[in-house]
Amino acid sequence: NMALSIGTPYASSMGATGSSNNFGLSGYWVPENTGWIPSVSTGWGTTSFENAGYRTDTNAKAQSWYVGLQWPDTFVKGNDLGMAVGQAPFVTNTGAGAYSDVNGGPKTPVDQNYAWEWWYKFQVTDNITVTPALYYINNYDGQYGKKNTSNGNYNASDSVFGGLLKTTFKF
């Protein structure tokens, strides 16, 4: 099993050697009056690899994106409810020949995965917050987690669901 760190394992292997050109754009919007209208944050990024892993051309590409929503003062003043969805950097083009890359994968890979997170931040005191969160990552191994079926299609595997509890102390 591979682990999702800074991108899918396939995208990480593309950037293991050589160099890359990267572009990212992100922003946020906070409404003047909150209520049911959340603040919104979003971002998108793209990478072009040179000498990508085992490749010697410059056509290999990856991209990533996210959208986050947060509702302040949900249920109780000072508490926030939020959710986010996105994709870690994933390969969108291997830069290979017309049909497959040198490892037998498709020229247009099936490297995608999706990550979701939901959280609720409790303001316990002026200096302490507790934030329970749930997350789900669909096919965190990306292309390496896909299995070629008898009919030539790929099926996602290696999904994970979990939770965490974050406590923040401000001094």
Side-chain angles (χ1 to χ4, degrees), residues 82-170:
M83 68 81 57
V85 63
Q87 291 181 283
F90 64 97
V91 177
T92 57
N93 186 319
T94 62
Y99 299 105
S100 68
D101 68 18
V102 296
N103 286 338
K107 177 177 170 52
T108 303
V110 286
D111 192 38
Q112 302 88 346
N113 62 23
Y114 293 90
W116 289 270
E117 182 179 3
W118 301 268
W119 66 89
Y120 189 75
K121 183 186 82 172
F122 295 94
Q123 190 71 45
V124 179
T125 69
D126 288 346
N127 298 334
I128 301 172
T129 59
V130 175
T131 308
L134 295 173
Y135 61 89
Y136 175 74
I137 303 172
N138 167 274
N139 190 39
Y140 65 84
D141 277 339
Q143 171 115 353
Y144 294 155
K146 308 263 179 170
K147 308 295 185 222
N148 197 349
T149 62
S150 60
N151 63 3
N153 294 327
Y154 286 83
N155 289 331
S157 63
D158 296 335
S159 298
V160 65
F161 177 77
L164 61 92
L165 183 64
K166 177 176 94 170
T167 302
T168 305
F169 300 92
K170 291 185 182 178

Side-chain angles (χ1 to χ4, degrees), residues 30-109:
V30 179
E32 283 186 35
N33 299 316
T34 53
W36 288 105
I37 301 173
S39 62
V40 179
S41 58
T42 187
W44 173 80
T46 184
T47 301
S48 295
F49 299 102
E50 296 184 21
N51 300 319
Y54 51 83
R55 301 292 310 151
T56 57
D57 57 28
T58 59
N59 295 326
K61 295 182 179 13
Q63 69 176 349
S64 62
W65 64 271
Y66 71 91
V67 174
L69 304 174
Q70 184 161 300
W71 292 267
D73 299 329
T74 306
F75 305 122
V76 177
K77 185 169 177 57
N79 293 0
D80 299 338
L81 174 69
M83 68 81 57
V85 63
Q87 291 181 283
F90 64 97
V91 177
T92 57
N93 186 319
T94 62
Y99 299 105
S100 68
D101 68 18
V102 296
N103 286 338
K107 177 177 170 52
T108 303

